[in-house]
Amino acid sequence: MTLEVVIRDVKFPNPVLAASGTFGFGWEFLAVANRLGGVVTKGLTIAPRAGNPPPRIVETASGVVNSVGLENPGVEVFKREILPRLQRVKCPVIVNLAAGKEEEFCELTETLEQTPVAGLELNLSCPNVKEGGVVFGQDALQVEKITRAVRKRTGKLLIVKLTANFVDPADTAKAAEAAGADAVSLINTLFALVLDQEGKPLLGGRTGGLSGPAIKPFALFCVERVARAVKIPVIGMGGIKTGQDAFEFICAGAHLIQVGTANLVKPDGALEVVKELRRMARTRGWQSWDDIRGKAGEGRFS
Ligand SMILES: Cc1cc2nc3c(=O)[nH]c(=O)nc-3n(C[C@H](O)[C@H](O)[C@H](O)COP(=O)(O)O)c2cc1C
């Protein structure tokens, strides 16, 4: 069967994308990127950001906690220096946007509208500086407002990346859908605190975000919940490192999946997932993704 997945006018050669923040901007791993379904760039802000002080990442039981703090060169350098390099990436490139104000999300969107990137992923796990630092994605009204404002400014594929921290992502997914998002992606990292032997925070940013296999069962739960709540495609992630993991997310209702932390272990981690999925499709005789998508079975949530 063809592994291709089409969302609106964007053709992903297979359903496996590299997740934001774990694969650079994509051009750094060209041999891998060109065999993936797509690449989501690291979070981009208007102004350059130096990120948080070190240490920025620490290993925990079956996962990592990071507090990178959105280190990136800013949108002007991105356009001038990184975009030309991205021309060599053959799969669709989605730019992950981060901002502390609605107007900044809008400005980033307008700045990128005439560029050849395939789509935008709004990282709504950022604190809203005008609302006392409450995370945009924890408030369905904010999600709707910001998605609507960005939607007005872009004809590109618009993905809204949801948080599952202290909010029901089914509610925020519905808000994103109502405001014109083409797809939602989830989950982002989960709030985390790691202390050292003296009881002091280990990360330079004090708290961080948990990712990797530790979050997979919760991520699957959230993806299934959201896939049942909205009609737009769902992009699932959280602890995926094997073809079996990806298969489970598709059974839970995902159209595409993203591989994050596994890329930090092996830069070709996402490629392993593609290869395994292709093998599974062949040996299990699937005719199309519809054979397995959402087939985890109906039933109530406990
Ligand atoms: C080091 C690191 C940096 C990340 N940076 C971003 C980012 O800039 N923007 C974003 O939306 N998500 C970011 N994420 C979250 C991932 O894209 C992904 O949602 C999360 O890690 C869950 O997937 P995983 O368990 O496969 O890593 C980052 C994750 C890690 C581990």
Side-chain angles (χ1 to χ4, degrees), residues 34-192:
N34 282 341
R35 295 165 72 189
L36 296 181
V39 165
V40 186
T41 69
K42 65 157 82 183
L44 186 67
T45 51
I46 292 176
R49 277 175 66 103
N52 286 330
R56 290 174 163 190
I57 191 155
V58 55
E59 201 172 332
T60 54
S62 295
V64 297
V65 177
N66 90 82
S67 72
V68 171
L70 294 172
E71 178 188 349
N72 80 94
V75 71
E76 284 313 319
V77 173
F78 173 81
K79 275 182 80 173
R80 201 171 57 238
E81 293 175 23
I82 297 174
L83 211 47
R85 292 177 192 169
L86 286 177
Q87 307 293 333
R88 296 168 64 206
V89 176
K90 291 194 200 123
C91 63
V93 174
I94 309 290
V95 179
N96 180 280
L97 303 182
K101 292 180 194 155
E102 180 183 314
E103 303 84 73
E104 289 174 1
F105 276 113
C106 293
E107 187 181 331
L108 281 164
T109 303
E110 282 168 354
T111 309
L112 295 172
E113 192 55 14
Q114 299 310 322
T115 67
V117 301
L120 307 175
E121 182 182 65
L122 303 186
N123 174 6
L124 296 189
S125 296
C126 307
N128 182 345
V129 293
K130 280 192 182 161
E131 301 285 333
V134 173
V135 170
F136 287 109
Q138 287 174 337
D139 178 350
L141 286 176
Q142 287 291 319
V143 172
E144 186 160 353
K145 190 160 171 281
I146 215 151
T147 306
R148 205 176 290 288
V150 170
R151 176 77 287 171
K152 264 198 217 146
R153 291 166 171 83
T154 186
K156 291 188 187 292
L157 187 77
L158 177 58
I159 302 165
V160 173
K161 186 166 179 179
L162 304 170
T163 176
N165 284 321
F166 305 149
V167 63
D168 183 347
D171 292 340
T172 47
K174 281 191 247 174
E177 179 179 49
D182 295 308
V184 288
S185 59
L186 73 158
I187 64 173
N188 211 319
T189 55
L190 297 177
F191 289 154

Side-chain angles (χ1 to χ4, degrees), residues 6-19:
V6 182
I7 299 187
R8 240 195 47 190
D9 52 342
V10 180
K11 288 184 179 156
F12 298 90
N14 64 66
V16 182
L17 280 62

Side-chain angles (χ1 to χ4, degrees), residues 179-246:
D182 295 308
V184 288
S185 59
L186 73 158
I187 64 173
N188 211 319
T189 55
L190 297 177
F191 289 154
L193 172 66
V194 185
L195 301 181
D196 67 12
Q197 285 170 330
E198 280 151 21
K200 303 252 162 54
L202 211 140
L203 290 166
R206 192 169 192 284
T207 60
L210 175 66
S211 61
I215 71 172
K216 193 190 110 182
F218 180 62
L220 256 184
F221 176 89
C222 292
V223 165
E224 182 181 64
R225 188 172 175 82
V226 167
R228 288 187 190 180
V230 295
K231 295 201 174 60
I232 52 175
V234 175
I235 304 172
M237 77 198 90
I240 296 174
K241 66 179 170 70
T242 64
Q244 171 67 28
D245 294 332

